[in-house]
Structures are given as C-alpha cells and as structure tokens.
Amino acid sequence: MTLRAFGRTGVRVSPLTLGAMMFGAWGNPDHDDSIRIIHRALDAGINIIDTADMYSRGESEEIVGKALAGGLRDEVVLATKFHAPMDDNPNHRGNSRRWIIREVENSLLRLRTDWIDLYQVHRPEPGTDFDDTLGALSDLVHQGKIRYIGTSTFEPSAIVEGQWIAQRRGRERVVSEQPPYSLLARGIEREVLPVAQRYGLAVIPWSPLAGGWLTGRYRKGVELPVSGRSQRTPGRFDLTLPANVAKLEAVEQLALLAEEAGLSLVHLAIAFVLEHPAVTSAIIGPRTMEQLESQLDAAKVTLSPDLLDRIDTIVPPGTTINTADGGYEPPSLTDPAHRRRTTVGPE
C-alpha cells in the first residue's frame, strides 16, 4: 500500500487502519483467529492498528498485544483510546488526570509494550478542563509512554480549543482526529474536515461501512442481520425509526450505483472515504478473515468525478442521514438543564 503522511508528525501510515473493536467478546472471541487476522493485515501492508481500552473491557488490547509479540511491535503504529467506563467505579472512566495516569499503565500492560504511538481521547467530556486532560497527556509524552495525542469524535470547536491550549499553555499538540465518516454520515465535511486541514491534523475515520450498513447485508426485502453492534446501539439500526428507513433507501441506491460501476458496495464505501483530501487512513474493523479480505483492495480503487457526483445526489455533501451515526451528542442537546431556565418558586 502507498503510505500517507500522518498529519505533520513525519510518520507515514497505510491508507487502511486495522480497527480492533471486533476482536474479543464483542465480535470474535477466538484469540488465535483474531491474531491470524491481524497478521494477515500486516502482511498486506497495513502498518497502523487502532484499539481502545473499552473494547471488550480490555480484551481487544490483550489480543493486539499478543499479536505484536515476538518483534512485530516496532513495525506498527499502535493507537488506543481512553474515556469510557471500565467498571462500575465512577472514577475509572473519563478524561481526568487521575484516570489518564492510571489507565495508560493498564493499556501498556494489556498491549505488552513500553509505549503507545497514538493515545486518543475517545470522546469529549465538557465537565473536565481540557487543559488538565492535555496536561496529563503531555506529561506522558515527556515520560516516553506515549508518542502523540489524538482525539475521537470531537466537535470542531473542541478541536480548535485543543490547538489553542497547546499554543497558549505550552501543552503537546493534538495531532489527529478520529471522526465517524461514511457514505451515510457525511456531517464532518461541513467543519471537522476543513478544521483538520487548517491545523494539519491526521484524520482516521471510524465506521466507513456505517456499522455494517454498507456491507451489502442491509437491503430491501432481506431480513436484517442481528449483531452485537446493533444491540449496543439500537438507534442506528432500528427500522421503526424514519431516519433508518431513509438510510435503507440510500443504501439501495448506492448498491445499484456500485453495481453499475463494477464495484462491490464495500469497495465503493471505503474508496469514497479515502477520496477526501483531508482523510489520512480509513479504519476497517473486520470480525472474520473473509471480511478482512473483502476490504483490503479498497485502497486500490479510484472513483471517477462522475461517480462522486452521483453519490452526492443520493447523500448530499455534509449530510448525516441519522444523527445517531454521529457518535456523540453534547450535553447542550441531551440534557434539558442546559437548554431551559429553571423556574424558582417563592421561598
């Protein structure tokens, strides 16, 4: 695979990133099979692996660590994330300095490594001072435990804030953003991708296959598959919701378009994400070897301007059909207390 610049870091990565979310209890519980998939991806030219502490409560990191043992670690750009709850303790989660300093040690142990190339804040946490988060991460960079700092599913204002904090307060700079991006979820084209380009950030989008919607398994007249992902995030899959009905209609049109172009829907979907000039590497998340093989050649596909124009008529630029596919809703929208003045009665 032809390597691409990872922002302004000087690091070069493959156009496909191997996502490890499906290795472990959430997807493929067979560690040996998962390791074979990882090794096949590396043999095919992929040199960046992305996981997270939360994936199967650490099991994904353990599998990746085993796969990279025996000399492979140095050849891989290894990325993981923190933020989500790891147990019922309210302090074993989030973006606080207290948790970051502890959880990085847990990830290092699970990954069987002395350093993490890219340590990412998995989601924003408005109640925690971002400067405190970046301060803790900067300390880890200075200690040699992590090389670079990234974010995932951050809004453009938060991305800019991170750059401002680094400049004004002497923190290490965030070098990458990992947003959701697919043929069905194009919202980041409005601001996130232009902001990333402005600040020279690498962009490694998650879910280019829209959580499975663009694999070819979701078609009209076909019984829709039930998966762990659909059970964890039903709002993205429930066909009683009008937004998901609209997604199914778009998928039908995109599948026909792919067929006319002589492409699989999988290749069309991944190639579309890789076509954007702001995108560095698209994260693929196979559960089986068959799924991996079906995605590897997508990096070789080039989409014509005419084909891209036709895609735009189906899902217009900047459009996310179902907002649940955006991956994050800020408290300003989800918590009524942020949107309504409290009426205080007489004492």
Side-chain angles (χ1 to χ4, degrees):
M1 297 186 186
T2 302
L3 301 184
R4 297 182 173 190
F6 194 79
R8 296 174 182 164
T9 65
V11 175
R12 300 189 70 81
V13 299
S14 51
L16 298 180
T17 294
L18 181 65
M21 187 177 77
M22 300 307 291
F23 300 146
W26 283 12
N28 188 343
D30 187 327
H31 286 208
D32 290 339
D33 189 45
S34 296
I35 290 169
R36 283 191 291 270
I37 294 169
I38 293 171
H39 288 169
R40 170 64 183 122
L42 298 181
D43 289 342
I46 290 176
N47 75 340
I48 175 170
I49 298 176
D50 177 77
T51 183
D53 58 357
M54 70 171 288
Y55 297 161
S56 299
R57 290 289 178 96
E59 189 181 4
S60 171
E61 287 185 328
E62 292 172 359
I63 292 170
V64 171
K66 288 193 286 187
L68 298 183
L72 289 175
R73 171 65 188 94
D74 287 346
E75 307 306 316
V76 170
V77 177
L78 183 56
T80 191
K81 302 182 283 291
F82 68 89
H83 167 81
M86 292 300 287
D87 54 40
D88 294 332
N89 187 317
N91 286 319
H92 292 176
R93 65 190 70 185
N95 302 345
S96 70
R97 168 178 286 271
R98 184 179 191 274
W99 178 237
I100 291 168
I101 298 301
R102 172 172 175 173
E103 184 60 359
V104 73
E105 299 294 345
N106 295 332
S107 286
L108 288 168
L109 284 172
R110 289 188 291 258
L111 290 166
R112 302 186 184 189
T113 185
D114 294 327
W115 83 97
I116 293 163
D117 291 295
L118 181 65
Y119 201 39
Q120 301 160 102
V121 192
H122 208 160
R123 289 293 188 277
E125 191 170 67
T128 300
D129 186 351
F130 198 10
D131 178 49
D132 202 40
T133 299
L134 289 180
L137 293 169
S138 296
D139 288 345
L140 294 178
V141 171
H142 302 156
Q143 293 167 19
K145 293 181 178 179
I146 67 175
R147 299 292 189 256
Y148 302 104
I149 301 166
T151 55
S152 177
T153 321
F154 270 47
E155 295 183 301
S157 59
I159 296 172
V160 173
E161 181 186 2
Q163 299 298 307
W164 184 93
I165 290 171
Q167 181 181 16
R168 299 298 179 90
R169 299 183 180 177
R171 306 304 190 189
E172 292 294 321
R173 192 174 72 93
V174 173
V175 303
S176 66
E177 163 61 13
Q178 184 182 136
Y181 189 35
S182 73
L183 286 163
L184 303 179
R186 301 182 61 176
I188 65 167
E189 293 173 345
R190 290 181 176 274
E191 289 191 83
V192 170
L193 293 180
V195 165
Q197 287 176 299
R198 189 173 305 136
Y199 289 100
L201 303 187
V203 178
I204 47 175
W206 57 267
S207 206
L209 297 180
W213 280 86
L214 297 169
T215 61
R217 296 188 301 159
Y218 290 77
R219 299 292 298 271
K220 286 184 175 180
V222 177
E223 185 176 355
L224 298 187
V226 176
S227 65
R229 186 176 300 178
S230 65
Q231 293 173 333
R232 287 191 300 273
T233 54
R236 299 178 65 191
F237 298 89
D238 184 357
L239 280 177
T240 65
L241 300 177
N244 288 330
V245 174
K247 278 167 59 175
L248 189 61
E249 178 60 40
V251 167
E252 197 69 22
Q253 296 179 56
L254 291 166
L256 293 175
L257 186 60
E259 185 177 348
E260 289 178 26
L263 298 171
S264 70
L265 183 56
V266 167
H267 282 187
L268 178 73
I270 297 174
F272 168 80
V273 169
L274 291 175
E275 182 67 31
H276 198 288
V279 169
T280 306
S281 180
I283 298 175
I284 58 172
R287 179 178 53 83
T288 66
M289 187 70 76
E290 181 183 12
Q291 290 175 355
L292 174 66
E293 296 291 353
S294 73
Q295 299 172 43
L296 284 175
D297 286 342
K300 302 176 183 177
V301 175
T302 301
L303 305 182
S304 69
D306 177 66
L307 186 56
L308 291 167
D309 288 343
R310 294 181 66 186
I311 288 172
D312 288 348
T313 65
I314 298 171
V315 183
T319 299
T320 293
I321 297 174
N322 182 352
T323 56
D325 291 329
Y328 173 74
E329 289 281 3
S332 57
L333 297 181
T334 60
D335 185 349
H338 290 271
R339 295 183 280 105
R340 302 171 186 170
R341 292 184 180 272
T342 302
T343 301
V344 180
E347 296 183 359

